[in-house]
Amino acid sequence: MSHSSEMPQVPINPHTVTAAEVVPGDLLALTQAQAEQRQWCVVMHTLPESPETIRVTLRPPLGGPDRDEVLERGQQVVVAGRRVDAAAVPSVSSPRLDAVTFRDGDRVTRLRAVDPEGVEVTYQRRWGVWHQDLDAVAAGGAETVSDDVVRGWAADADHEGYVVRHHARPARETVPAAPRRVVVTGLGAITPLGVGADELWQGLLDGRHGIRELEDEEFDGLPVRVAGRVPVDPASLLPRAAARRMNRAAQMAVLAAREAWADAGFTAGGTVESGLDPERVGVSLGAILGDASILVGGDRKLREKGPRGVSPLTTPMTVPSQAAAQVSLDLHITGEARTVTSACASGTEAIGEAIDRIRYGRVDVALAGGAEAVVTPAIMASFSAMRALSDLGLEDGDSPSRPFAKDRAGFVNGEGAGLLVLESEEHALARGARIYCEAAGWGLSADAHHMAAPDPSGSGVALALRRAVRDAGGHVVDVVHVNAHATATVEGDLAEAGALRAVLGQPGVPVTALKGHLGHLQGAAGGVEAVAAALTLRHGVVPPTVGCAEVDEAIGLDVVTGKPRPLPGEGDLVLSNSFGFGGHNAVLALRRVNQ
């Protein structure tokens, strides 16, 4: 009802006439002030009341109730110079909403009916609040009102010249062809905080970090000698024969996959032992290099011992797809084994790819995440040459990786693996699985700005954030927490913060960053941080950001520091961000579920 369909769109030209000159169809304002405030009515009928007066029936031009006014014949009134078909103006009255029970998803429309050019405004209820625009939280431009205000609008509508309508949330219909819902049922991790998702979670809550001095002789002479290394040799946790055929990243991936598999309630050994069709299960892992040491070691042996000194396993153990292949072999998964390589966004993008494979019926179950082992002298030297690594030490007991902090000085290289078991919801429910959360959606974008530096505008990051929320079927008002990428580089943290403010508002929702605990796990970062995001939803607790003693004022976010904080109750989406060299941006959206 934005305009009456019969309303002629010609300019309003107010001029004064006497009441005796008024005829049905005139747009009338009783005073000049009303005309200036665009408070017009359509003359529906005129009737002589007495020799000196006329009874005029008036109705708002965009619809509303009638009212009568008795005017002196010589009384000065204002007409608009625009004629209206009075029969086309609807007679409506706004019902009171005092007894209506509002629900999230309801809509209310409000139209200033006395303005011939009035535009209907729609408000939608979400998390107990009415929003004029669910996706315009940024910059504080979207109006929000309470239930009481909406009821007040309806109660005063007829008197104030408005038309207010309540539209109840439609009943949800089952659409057989709709994409399947995907849920998280298992978690596994091996990180600088220890072996297992429990060690990771407890270390995050305790505010501990796993960054260590690199004491091996091969790191002597490097300008930076601290990194986030896994505190145990992963090969020692696997059978010796199997470990010898895996690179370090693959060893960690297999250990995390086994944990996630068992955590999801499946039987040790793999798909067949668990009663699953191997063809309906997939693997999707992210990696940049996988294990950079294998190729370096092969080259060293070639120079020291000649061609016969190079192992025949060098090539298969060098490729980034080694981790996905080894997980597939270990659990007898034949549906697919994909590897995603998109710099430091690899792990998150791999999870997103797995979500889509399940959504659209290609597989029913997937192990997804990332694994990386690139704490090697050459990689460390390269990052140092880029001036990307933090030169802060461990002497003060604080983490040298300081996301969002005023004194941040660069990232700390790290390694690890983090995997999730994803399933279609019906598959998980049919076997009575415990569900951590819904893997609701994901978003990608590219900066197209620079090979190594982030776009300072943050526009590419903002696009990925919006796409993830949209893909999850949500709105920005649904976002309750962000697990930030935040590597502790000066430019990177500012770009991400700017994008978060642009999308979620300032200061927005609680934000935490885990690289102070772990260092930057490269292609594995998205997998490990997704595990943490799922546990945040499961336990309703946001871990603190380690290393951030004083938040940089330019960040402008609600960074959780010091101690854990309860996850806000209003909202259900958690976003996990990953961004990589070359402008790769990936954002995962996880949704809280009630079981």
Side-chain angles (χ1 to χ4, degrees), residues 60-356:
L62 299 185
D66 291 344
R67 78 175 195 273
D68 287 348
E69 294 282 349
V70 177
L71 307 176
E72 298 287 338
R73 289 179 179 272
Q75 180 177 336
Q76 297 288 302
V77 294
V78 182
V79 292
R82 176 191 291 187
R83 298 299 304 281
V84 174
D85 180 2
V89 180
S91 175
V92 294
S93 181
S94 300
R96 295 181 68 90
L97 301 177
D98 298 342
V100 175
T101 300
F102 295 138
R103 300 183 301 163
D104 279 7
D106 288 2
R107 291 184 302 111
V108 161
T109 58
R110 189 172 187 239
L111 173 67
R112 190 169 185 260
V114 295
D115 183 353
E117 296 175 352
V119 176
E120 188 174 69
V121 180
T122 299
Y123 293 79
Q124 187 167 351
R125 195 173 189 269
R126 197 81 166 186
W127 308 112
V129 178
W130 296 88
H131 297 261
Q132 184 178 342
D133 186 340
L134 288 168
D135 288 316
V137 175
E143 181 183 2
T144 60
V145 296
S146 67
D147 289 347
D148 288 343
V149 169
V150 169
R151 290 192 170 93
W153 285 346
D156 297 337
D158 291 351
H159 175 70
E160 299 291 339
Y162 283 83
V163 175
V164 176
R165 288 286 179 268
H166 172 244
H167 307 272
R169 181 184 70 194
R172 180 178 294 180
E173 297 181 1
T174 302
V175 182
R180 299 191 298 179
R181 195 170 178 225
V182 182
V183 295
V184 178
T185 58
L187 304 174
I190 177 168
T191 74
L193 286 173
V195 177
D198 288 343
E199 287 292 313
L200 167 66
W201 183 243
Q202 195 58 54
L204 297 180
L205 296 183
D206 292 345
R208 290 187 282 110
H209 72 80
I211 296 170
R212 298 170 176 83
E213 187 81 25
L214 297 173
E215 297 178 349
D216 296 351
E217 183 179 334
E218 61 181 350
F219 295 104
D220 288 349
L222 293 180
V224 174
R225 295 189 57 185
V226 295
R229 297 203 78 176
V230 171
V232 298
D233 180 3
S236 67
L237 304 177
L238 294 166
R240 187 168 181 269
R244 289 182 61 191
R245 288 169 171 78
M246 302 181 196
N247 64 30
R248 185 176 176 88
Q251 293 166 358
M252 292 188 289
V254 167
L255 290 170
R258 287 181 178 182
E259 181 190 11
W261 189 257
D263 188 48
F266 294 125
T267 303
T271 53
V272 175
E273 292 81 355
S274 301
L276 299 176
D277 179 357
E279 296 181 4
R280 299 296 300 168
V281 183
V283 179
S284 182
L285 293 186
I288 302 175
L289 298 174
D291 185 348
S293 67
I294 299 297
L295 187 59
V296 173
D299 184 69
R300 182 184 299 119
K301 289 178 181 178
L302 175 63
R303 286 185 278 106
E304 292 175 353
K305 300 181 180 180
R308 292 182 179 275
V310 179
S311 167
L313 294 176
T314 299
T315 298
M317 289 175 64
T318 296
V319 294
S321 59
Q322 233 260 334
Q326 290 291 357
V327 171
S328 169
L329 285 165
D330 190 67
L331 296 173
H332 192 62
I333 294 171
T334 63
E336 56 189 37
R338 71 174 58 236
T339 299
V340 175
T341 301
S342 53
C344 304
S346 300
T348 296
E349 187 172 341
I351 296 170
E353 294 283 359
I355 290 172
D356 279 352

Side-chain angles (χ1 to χ4, degrees), residues 22-60:
V22 170
V23 296
D26 277 344
L27 272 178
L28 175 72
L30 296 179
T31 66
Q32 187 67 39
Q34 287 184 356
E36 292 172 356
Q37 295 167 10
R38 303 185 68 82
Q39 296 182 19
W40 299 94
C41 285
V42 177
V43 177
M44 305 300 293
H45 306 286
T46 62
L47 185 68
E49 181 80 2
S50 71
E52 294 81 20
T53 60
I54 300 173
R55 180 177 294 274
V56 182
T57 300
L58 303 175
R59 183 181 299 171

